[in-house]
Amino acid sequence: MKLLISGNEAVARGAWEAGVKVACAYPGTPSTEILENLSKYPEVNTEWSTNEKVAFEVAYGAAIAGARSVVSMKHVGLNVAADPLFSSAYAGTKGGFVIISCDDPGMHSSQNEQDTRRYAKFAKIPIIEPSDAQEAYDFIKLAFEISEKFETPVLFRMSTRVSHTKGIVEVSERKEVPVKDYVKNPSQFILLPANARERHKVLEEKLLKLKEYSSESILNRIEKGKNSIGIVSSGVAYNYAKEVFKDAWFLKIGMPFPFPEKLFKKFYKKVKKIIVIEENEPFLEEEIKILGYKVEGKKYLPICDELNPDIVRKSIKKRELPHPDPLKTVRRPPQLCPGCPHTGVFYCLSKLKVTVTGDIGCYTLGALPPFNAMDTCICMGASIGNALGFEKARGKDFSKRMVAVIGDSTFLHSGVTGLINIAYNKGTVKTIILDNRTTAMTGHQDHPGTGKTAKGEKTKEINLKELAKACGIEKVYEVNPYDIKETLKTLKSAIESEEAAVIISRAPCALLKESREYFSKKEKKRVLEEKCLGEKCKACIRVGCPAISIRNGKAFISPLLCVGCDLCTQVCPVTAIV
């Protein structure tokens, strides 16, 4: 049967067919759809875990217990899971265990560009890299076989274009793989120093065998050409290279580490000049140069951002194909959605002119005009720790004029440890938890604070107020962010306090079904032009609602965008909005 599916859907289908029993993830673009699709299969026990480290540990535990399991995350999530990743290489596995990391070249929705291939070599585990949806489907099945054959975790590198591009995929049926018998084996799975030292030797021997396998595997192959140019490439860059160098010999790499040394030597004899075409890091180029061969790659190609056929052609062949001028599009700055509950909070923070340490999520947009209400945003869960760092460096007087903001899902991901740290180390930081009842930025996935599982079943719901108190924070407030007066008053009161405090801003994301139903009953707002002060005022513009603009010198509210949230009516000084 053939299906038109994305790379992420192909991975989910392939993993299901491979007999996966347990799948875990924390959402993050471009990886999110893998677990979303796996959760549709009743044979797979799926979960949104609280963060990537926990997801890794649950899936790995299932593999140690003998079941095929998979964990998926975006590239920066692998940093969170790095601790168990490195140890799992030593301990190995029983059931097939695959770790999917989706890289984001070009940083479409990420804070940095990472190349997961570096992690594979650092952690000493094999990595597999498909170049399209069919390979994503085929290779994930092979990844489980490699994992069980060599008793090793296997990294599986996807990237944005492979994850989200659709292709025709020939699929099959699920093959049930029995859970292997569990046999207690402390020398393998208890990494006491004495055991770990022995396991390191086992790991090095395993890598030698994997290196032999890499040259023999169908994952890596030589493609005959008609001229003397040889191209080495992997992942989505292989497709770009094939388009530009139609007559060249190719060494198509689907398993970059361990590098297929023997296969490369065969390839080297076939060509006179070798160019390595790969996205981001010069990983393959370095592997070849370590072997003592002269190749070129990043000499021509950029290390930053995504590649495409035009960049490859222009960089190496120094010419472009004729193409029409691109269509002119209207540039729009990213903004919070109309009716977003975070709008009221950032409006208040902007008025208070406090220092704000921010975090990863939709609310990072609070850093942009008209709010300009954020000073830092480093990584998931960093805002609370960063705020305490400010206090340690600049004193409690400075800390009185600053707050940390963090989303509900991010707080449960890795912010809660920062809050415990504030209480334990006598900090006075004020933390705002922007609780919009979902993981909004990645597409509305549930988390432990929503009371629903990945399969939509009801479960225990974490009470953020009680959790904050349990962390040692005695002053915990709850506000309705659509009530600007109340929110501003509460923030002022908390900031003036000498103690650490948590303010929970609670209102569901404007795009959730319950919010859409609520707003559908509200009247859209309009401007009374005879009362509006227009250009002289612009108070409503400073709310940051994308529905409001200035037209013919007066405020204008788009009836197509307005949801009737009432934020603008609260800030108009002349009651010109009704």
Side-chain angles (χ1 to χ4, degrees), residues 369-386:
F371 308 117
N372 300 309
M374 199 174 286
D375 293 69
T376 65
C377 179
I378 306 301
C379 66
M380 289 282 284
S383 62
I384 303 175
N386 286 164

Side-chain angles (χ1 to χ4, degrees), residues 62 122 134 471:
F122 193 13
Q134 182 67 61
C471 290

Side-chain angles (χ1 to χ4, degrees), residues 384-455:
I384 303 175
N386 286 164
L388 185 60
F390 269 71
E391 181 176 316
K392 297 282 184 185
R394 307 190 70 85
K396 293 186 177 179
D397 285 343
F398 183 88
S399 183
K400 286 180 181 176
R401 299 297 304 164
M402 70 174 298
V403 299
V405 296
I406 190 167
D408 47 347
S409 184
T410 311
F411 177 69
L412 294 168
H413 173 280
S414 49
V416 65
T417 47
L419 192 64
I420 293 169
N421 192 51
I422 285 175
Y424 174 64
N425 287 299
K426 303 179 181 180
T428 63
V429 169
K430 315 303 182 292
T431 301
I432 301 175
I433 301 175
L434 300 164
D435 180 8
N436 63 357
R437 318 300 300 148
T438 189
T439 313
M441 192 169 187
T442 49
H444 294 151
Q445 290 75 37
D446 283 298
H447 59 68
T450 67
K452 289 182 182 175
T453 69
K455 289 183 179 287

Side-chain angles (χ1 to χ4, degrees), residues 109-233:
S109 57
S110 307
Q111 61 269 43
N112 63 41
E113 286 180 305
Q114 289 177 201
D115 193 325
T116 293
R117 295 175 300 175
R118 297 285 197 204
Y119 257 119
K121 187 172 184 180
F122 193 13
K124 301 191 173 190
I125 59 177
I127 185 166
I128 292 174
E129 184 179 21
S131 60
D132 58 27
Q134 182 67 61
E135 283 193 349
Y137 165 84
D138 293 331
F139 287 6
I140 194 77
K141 297 171 85 170
L142 191 54
F144 286 102
E145 293 178 16
I146 293 170
S147 176
E148 290 182 349
K149 180 179 180 180
F150 294 94
E151 294 195 348
T152 177
V154 174
L155 256 173
F156 198 84
R157 185 201 190 204
M158 299 282 281
S159 62
T160 304
R161 299 298 168 186
V162 180
S163 285
H164 290 166
T165 301
K166 291 199 172 187
I168 296 174
V169 178
E170 180 96 38
V171 300
S172 184
E173 297 298 327
R174 178 176 168 87
K175 175 187 174 186
E176 288 297 337
V177 179
V179 177
K180 294 182 178 178
D181 292 338
Y182 175 69
V183 180
K184 186 174 180 177
N185 188 356
S187 63
Q188 180 176 1
F189 292 110
I190 298 179
L191 292 179
L192 290 166
N195 291 339
R197 282 191 283 271
E198 293 303 313
R199 292 302 303 176
H200 191 180
K201 295 172 189 172
V202 172
L203 175 58
E204 296 300 332
E205 291 167 4
K206 200 180 293 183
L207 282 174
L208 292 176
K209 293 175 183 173
L210 280 160
K211 192 170 187 177
E212 290 292 316
Y213 172 84
S214 186
S215 285
E216 300 163 1
S217 169
I218 58 171
L219 292 164
N220 302 315
R221 65 175 184 264
I222 294 173
E223 297 174 1
K224 290 182 179 179
K226 295 177 181 176
N227 60 31
S228 59
I229 298 290
I231 303 293
V232 179
S233 192

Side-chain angles (χ1 to χ4, degrees), residues 495-515:
I495 288 170
E496 289 168 1
S497 167
E498 299 286 338
E499 301 175 50
V502 167
I503 304 99
I504 301 171
S505 165
R506 177 165 295 150
C509 171
L511 300 182
L512 287 176
K513 184 181 177 183
E514 61 187 283
S515 292

